[in-house]
Amino acid sequence: MKVVIIEDEKIKRITLRDALLREGYEVVDFESPIFAVNYIEQNEVDVVVTDIRLPDMDGMEVLKIIKKINPNIMVIMITAYGTIENAVEAMKLGAYDYITKPFSSERLIMILKKIEKYKELEKENIELKKRLDERYSFSNIVGKSKAMQNIYSQIEIVAQSDATVLIIGESGTGKDLVANAIHQLSPRKNKPFVKLSCASLPETLLETELFGHEKGAFTGAIKERKGKFECANGGTLFLDDVDDIPLSSQVKLLNVIQEKRFERIGGNESIKVDVRLICASKVDLFNLVKLGKFREDLYYRISVIPIKIPPLRERREDIPLLIEHFLNKFGRPELKFTPEAMEAMIAYEWPGNVRQLENIVQRIVVLTKGNVVTREALPSEITGAIKSGIDNIWNKEKIDLGKVLADFEQRALRWALEKSGYNQTKAAEILNLKRTTLREKMKKIRLNIEPTSLKSVKNL
Ligand SMILES: Nc1ncnc2c1ncn2[C@@H]1O[C@H](COP(=O)(O)OP(=O)(O)OP(=O)(O)O)[C@@H](O)[C@H]1O
Ligand SMILES: [Mg+2]
């Protein structure tokens, strides 16, 4: 640490300086506060030790100036008997500590050690925060929820191996993104990443796509053609919508996975491949196994490492971050959502998950002239939706049931009132309540619906 001493009494100053030097601190000492301030302005300093009573400038003045130059500099005031009030005042102005004369050098060294420790902790905190911040996104994937943090760690681990990964998630949750990240972080990153969507491909077409065919294998096969397995050799093959693979093709797929070799359609030469397989499915494959629609043996082969991406509605804390991410992506980082607009975005169910959020943000970017997005400016499917406060509690560690229920009741009342045009009889009907019960509930939560207070109802 670099320490500046400002003290007009020469003997005291030299004693302090030598004591601190012996402790290994870098020390610069000044008799005049004006020179000291000048030095602090131009050099990096950690701590300033200054007498309160000084020639030319009061120690309090010095303190104020230093805090203006760099508020991170720690200032220790030296007070004489009778200037304790000043010391208290100095603490209010941001001094770190004060010592009363006469004092030993050891006393000052103790304070400096405390500062050193504090600075170390602060540095650690900053680094920790930086590391956490980095985890707000990972290889193009954005999200700070616990679920996403877990996924980042899983990706990091599986990328190193060749094990087959099964990514499960609703449409638009980022399965492609995760598959890409695994490939990019794997030792195969400079080899091909090949994707095949198995959705609604007829059996023969699917097999041609996977294994290729020889010339003349079937009518129309005028040239030989490589399949995806061959194209992905050395790299990664990403099979999307594996749940759609017909049972008969499932056997062939299982064979390739086990034998690591296959034949082109119409050929009898066995082709050896080294391919890392990543599969994705929108549905829980095990349910299909139970229904007899998916082979159990294949299921176990491909789900060696399952990665489950939860729907967006189960990790709503990611929504503001994703909005920011997409605003940046579409070139409008300055756009701000009002709190009501943001609340509506967070409350919405997002059946199309992140893809839908991305599309909506893009639409908002195009339609918004100014820099503010209000709730009114949001598409009606978002503002029209009523959040079921119940839905987003299951990913929490702890819940306050009373609060959740009260919150839900409040939202239900608001929803019914909005829906009925603030007609209490109708609202009671919608909620299957007696009108008097509705009124009681409204009174309990002080929900006043006189026409003049409609706005406050909406902001509830
Ligand atoms: N966590 C995320 N961070 C940033 N962008 C995301 C995230 N999740 C999804 N996206 C974006 O949303 C869109 C849809 O993602 P992706 O195609 O990976 O979803 P999917 O699960 O494969 O959907 P589908 O089942 O329809 O194939 C893409 O534009 C993707 O970049
Ligand atoms: Mg996809």
Side-chain angles (χ1 to χ4, degrees):
M1 284 204 304
K2 188 165 201 170
V3 183
V4 167
I5 299 173
I6 315 172
E7 167 66 79
D8 56 330
E9 278 172 51
K10 190 169 178 195
I11 298 177
K12 190 78 207 156
R13 188 173 72 238
I14 305 288
T15 323
L16 275 181
R17 182 190 66 193
D18 292 349
L20 297 194
L21 283 174
R22 272 198 303 275
E23 280 297 313
Y25 294 111
E26 208 180 313
V27 188
V28 192
D29 62 298
F30 293 93
E31 182 184 343
S32 147
I34 293 173
F35 286 119
V37 164
N38 193 31
Y39 177 86
I40 294 164
E41 255 174 343
Q42 298 180 23
N43 294 276
E44 231 173 274
V45 171
D46 298 299
V47 181
V48 175
V49 184
T50 177
D51 201 347
I52 287 194
R53 220 174 284 156
L54 288 166
D56 309 335
M57 203 194 280
D58 184 56
M60 302 292 268
E61 263 324 292
V62 177
L63 170 64
K64 282 188 211 162
I65 295 170
I66 294 173
K67 284 284 156 184
K68 255 194 211 134
I69 298 171
N70 178 359
N72 293 327
I73 297 176
M74 303 289 193
V75 184
I76 302 168
M77 311 297 286
I78 304 172
T79 69
Y81 176 75
T83 55
I84 294 287
E85 289 89 349
N86 281 341
V88 174
E89 185 61 22
M91 299 290 280
K92 282 190 196 147
L93 288 172
Y96 177 77
D97 207 345
Y98 65 88
I99 5 180
T100 333
K101 277 182 193 170
F103 63 91
S104 63
S105 306
E106 281 68 43
R107 171 96 183 86
L108 179 61
I109 288 166
M110 246 168 62
I111 299 178
L112 288 176
K113 291 228 159 98
K114 228 165 71 187
I115 291 180
E116 241 173 338
K117 203 161 197 174
Y118 174 87
K119 289 212 165 207
E120 246 167 55
L121 271 177
E122 195 177 44
K123 210 171 115 199
E124 267 173 33
N125 276 342
I126 290 171
E127 264 163 29
L128 194 70
K129 188 161 181 313
K130 219 169 88 198
R131 274 213 301 278
L132 286 177
D133 276 350
E134 279 163 8
R135 285 299 197 158
Y136 282 13
S137 74
F138 179 86
S139 190
N140 293 327
I141 311 171
V142 174
K144 62 170 182 166
S145 57
K146 225 174 171 178
M148 292 312 289
Q149 305 275 342
N150 269 335
I151 289 174
Y152 302 159
S153 316
Q154 279 173 292
I155 293 175
E156 246 176 354
I157 296 166
V158 302
Q160 301 315 313
S161 82
D162 268 348
T164 306
V165 176
L166 175 63
I167 307 169
I168 309 136
E170 288 179 13
S171 184
T173 46
K175 295 185 295 297
D176 273 66
L177 225 47
V178 169
N180 261 298
I182 294 173
H183 175 74
Q184 288 308 328
L185 293 167
S186 78
R188 296 172 179 263
K189 65 171 183 281
N190 295 321
K191 295 283 163 63
F193 176 80
V194 178
K195 178 183 163 176
L196 175 65
S197 173
C198 308
S200 54
L201 278 186
E203 201 176 310
T204 47
L205 196 54
L206 174 67
E207 289 178 18
T208 330
E209 284 288 334
L210 283 174
F211 312 118
H213 59 73
E214 298 292 350
K215 185 177 168 184
F218 46 84
T219 23
I222 23 179
K223 271 203 320 201
E224 62 152 55
R225 189 175 160 220
K226 278 187 185 176
K228 301 286 187 202
F229 265 106
E230 263 176 277
C231 295
N233 199 8
T236 307
L237 175 60
F238 175 40
L239 294 183
D240 206 356
D241 299 305
V242 278
D243 50 295
D244 251 4
I245 300 181
L247 274 166
S248 54
S249 307
Q250 288 178 20
V251 194
K252 292 179 184 146
L253 184 59
L254 180 66
N255 268 330
V256 196
I257 299 175
Q258 280 172 344
E259 311 295 331
K260 300 198 183 318
R261 56 175 72 239
F262 64 94
E263 283 130 44
R264 287 188 192 148
I265 295 170
N268 40 31
E269 183 200 348
S270 166
I271 300 169
K272 194 165 166 39
V273 280
D274 164 31
V275 168
R276 198 267 170 90
L277 196 63
I278 300 177
C279 299
S281 168
K282 289 186 187 66
V283 296
D284 187 344
L285 278 187
F286 195 66
N287 286 337
L288 296 185
V289 172
K290 283 188 276 187
L291 290 171
K293 293 195 170 140
F294 204 86
R295 291 182 64 102
E296 195 172 359
D297 44 10
L298 180 60
Y299 170 77
Y300 286 116
R301 276 283 166 183
I302 63 175
S303 64
V304 178
I305 301 171
I307 296 185
K308 222 171 190 158
I309 315 179
L312 190 54
R313 63 182 170 280
E314 284 174 19
R315 48 181 166 107
R316 292 183 201 261
E317 61 268 46
D318 289 342
I319 293 174
L321 204 66
L322 283 162
I323 292 177
E324 198 185 301
H325 169 70
F326 292 130
L327 286 175
N328 273 326
K329 178 171 170 183
F330 298 123
R332 292 289 292 278
E334 75 288 354
L335 268 194
K336 289 273 170 298
F337 283 62
T338 64
E340 294 77 29
M342 189 53 90
E343 198 202 326
M345 293 291 276
I346 294 171
Y348 183 58
E349 288 299 292
W350 301 107
N353 293 298
V354 186
R355 178 180 293 113
Q356 186 189 10
L357 177 66
E358 181 172 4
N359 291 341
I360 295 236
V361 172
Q362 188 170 24
R363 193 159 12 134
I364 290 168
V365 160
V366 172
L367 295 178
T368 308
K369 296 276 181 311
N371 280 343
V372 179
V373 182
T374 58
R375 190 175 191 274
E376 287 66 38
L378 299 179
S380 57
E381 71 242 52
I382 288 169
T383 44
I386 157 94
K387 165 173 157 185
S388 105
I390 305 286
D391 270 348
N392 65 338
I393 60 172
W394 305 120
N395 55 351
K396 298 208 171 120
E397 298 289 327
K398 256 167 107 175
I399 58 163
D400 179 338
L401 183 60
K403 199 170 164 298
V404 169
L405 294 178
D407 184 51
F408 183 75
E409 184 170 273
Q410 215 174 76
R411 283 170 190 277
L413 291 188
R414 185 177 69 169
W415 166 77
L417 284 164
E418 273 186 12
K419 210 171 153 76
S420 64
Y422 300 92
N423 177 326
Q424 290 180 28
T425 313
K426 270 196 201 154
E429 245 175 63
I430 292 173
L431 294 167
N432 194 22
L433 291 175
K434 281 195 199 135
R435 189 168 171 281
T436 45
T437 318
L438 174 74
R439 277 207 71 89
E440 262 166 39
K441 287 189 183 298
M442 284 167 59
K443 221 161 133 191
K444 207 168 103 201
I445 58 169
R446 288 195 288 280
L447 185 59
N448 185 354
I449 57 140
E450 297 309 315
T452 46
S453 56
L454 279 190
K455 203 165 171 299
S456 67
V457 173
K458 288 197 167 159
N459 289 339
L460 201 102

